[in-house]
Amino acid sequence: MTMHPALAVCAAGMLLVSCGSGHDSGTPLYKDPSQPVEKRVDDLLSRMTLDEKIGQLNQRSSWGGESATGYFSKEIEAGNIGSLLNVDPVSADSLQRVAVEKSRLGIPVLLSRDVIHGYRTIFPIPLGQAATFDTALVAQGARIAAVEASADGIRWTFSPMIDISRDARWGRIAESFGEDVWLTRQMGRAMVRGYQGDAGNDSTSMAACAKHFVGYGASESGRDYNSTFIPERQLREVYLAPFEDVCREGAMTYMSSFNDNDGIPASGNRHVLTDILRGEWGFDGFVVSDWASVAEMINHGYCADRKDAARTGFNAGVDMEMESGTYIENMKALIDEGAVKMDDIDRSVASVLRIKFLLGLFDNPYITTPQDVLYAPEHLAAARQAAAESAILLKNADETLPLKEGMTILLTGPMADAPHDQMGTWVFDGQKDHTVTLLDAFKDQWGGRVKVIYEPGLAYSRDTETSGIDCAVAAARGADAIVAVVGEEAILSGEAHSMADLNLVGAQSELIGRLAKTGKPLVTVVMAGRPLTIGKEVEESDAVLYSFHPGTMGGPALADILMGEISPSGRTPVTFAKTVGQLPMYYSHKNTGRPAAGTEVLIDDIELEAGQTSLGCTSFWLDAGFGPLFPFGYGLTYGDFRYSNVKTDKNAYGKDDTIHASAVLTNSGKREATEVVQLYVRDLVGSVTRPVKELKEFRRVTLAPGESVTVDFDLPVSELAFYGQDMQRNVEAGEFTLGIGPDSDTELSCSFTVK
Ligand code: NOJ
């Protein structure tokens, strides 16, 4: 899928769609589809009153199903609303009709919604989609979401969420692509491509919204909405990098975040919203505030009152205000007082109108996508593939998996048949009666080939009533293997759902412990919104399959893996900590002056009255060591992949060169499997310290048993650039090391220099 030039809203500027000559003099120019977009914007702007302009910058939520004849209908008719979110689908077209046919200038209203990982057909949560390391599949999922959402009139989604997330306490890690800059950059671009589609005036294209701009993922202590303290260099290199990428991809809108960074609330941060986004990157779409985040600058202690908040937010670069209404209340007075400039109002309004034109809303305002796209078979098939590719095999002792046909399997655990919770966070429109659970899949798809005993043990993840565990343990006696599906209900992750403890909730740990004691092969499947601290359960289980809430088709996808129809191929998109006290934790950390040597003495081995310096002085935790439970990029398959002959084509490169790196990959196992091959680099010495490793490329490679291929990567040297001491982004000459392997523990065995 390639981006249609009409969607370019960054650097290259807006495409002027010009298909014809002049226009009928009786029709206003802006209504003439043959005119270039910029001319249409200018013409419309010149006809608008100040009230109508301010109305375009006002977004309201119609949650609660206000009808077309209600309050919003009147406000739209008066030209006071530019965009609505959360519209009841039954009123979508009738509200649009009011905007187009009853308002003075007929400006369509932009209907928006949080379509985060699917609309009706629910895909794995974004963290799970990141685990696929499959950008084409992620783009396809976003395209499907756009097609389905457009059937209900939604043409703007608040996605992708590209906040780098390194602390699993933060509930919104579920909505992110995890900890890594490179992976998030690729996934963010893929989603933007998918949502926005091939053509600006395709009636299934949906404007993307890159959020949350910026730094929200670094909330102190993982508590949602908390403050962040990100220095400029790290802001640019880690948190801003994915946002710059999606700008290049043509993301039409951005959302300013809730957090204050280093004392400045994101919705009042002119440096980020204007100097960087518009000035440095050339963005020409529009910025919407997060929900009431303009008014919340009063709570932050940054603005004195609602008028001050409107002035601060608008002048910083928030074009459209979501929900809090301070613009519509105060903008006229602010202009009269000279606190807001009319030119800036015109630029903001033009950027909103531009997106409406590019989406084709002026020419094709009503729903044309038929309802039968919802849950279309091909959408369900793609969701099933995404769920399968997102599942991560963390442990498989003695080839416990795959299970064998003819076995009697005890299926237990509160997530084995949890149609609502399996869909995960941010599901407004997915319906649980369309969800296929693991129990459904075992019964319907595998019923003739395995015997399944179902004994849930616990009713839901937080359940502490343990009498059901006795039944599950008793049932295990008659089984050849146990599949225990545990994890988190959907409500335990997502916005405002942070946790201070990441162990399994309720009595789930007891369930696993008691099942382990039966001596039957124990396969633990975890369905959760974040990486949980499951070290104990991993020890107790023979195999562990991790599935970030897998969505509508999670059941059949996981059954296919458990039964060996498909080899698992998901990889951890985020480091799994052993204990919550290690957080935030990520692989691309700095080395420090005293890196752990791996020989550290841990708490249980310390001698009595040991001397103060007897343990050495390196950077580690006495009670947790240094490393994680599972590193970033980790995941097993049913194959057996070996890497050899890792090399670069040269020993030295110029700054404009491309590094050709390769490795020979062999599947020495007995089954066809897919490996996610990963390339990591380290810059050994810099004008500022550099991470110990950085992912710079990845590829999914499927090999038959015994098959061997050379996997090649082309890495432009320019990708090694970083913000040096002078805060300029440059590649610094010097020594680098590179490695190609299965995860972020890969040894960087090749050396090269950049001159
Ligand atoms: C608040 C959330 O932070 C944001 O992600 C979402 O898009 C808006 N609310 C709209 O629902």
Side-chain angles (χ1 to χ4, degrees), residues 85 114 158 172 211-212 255 258 290-291 322 426 495:
L85 72 153
D114 289 289
F158 305 121
R172 302 201 79 167
K211 73 184 189 188
H212 304 86
M255 182 186 291
F258 285 128
D290 202 345
W291 185 283
M322 185 188 288
W426 269 134
E495 184 178 350

Side-chain angles (χ1 to χ4, degrees), residues 252-314:
M252 289 175 158
T253 72
Y254 279 62
M255 182 186 291
S256 60
S257 52
F258 285 128
N259 57 303
D260 60 319
N261 186 44
D262 195 20
I264 304 179
S267 293
N269 193 329
R270 187 172 167 87
H271 176 54
V272 168
L273 297 177
T274 298
D275 300 347
I276 295 179
L277 179 61
R278 294 191 186 278
E280 294 181 25
W281 303 346
F283 177 67
D284 209 2
F286 71 88
V287 176
V288 65
S289 72
D290 202 345
W291 185 283
S293 67
V294 170
E296 285 171 12
M297 288 194 284
I298 303 167
N299 294 347
H300 277 288
Y302 192 68
C303 294
D305 52 31
R306 288 173 64 80
K307 189 170 173 188
D308 191 25
R311 181 190 58 79
T312 306
F314 183 78

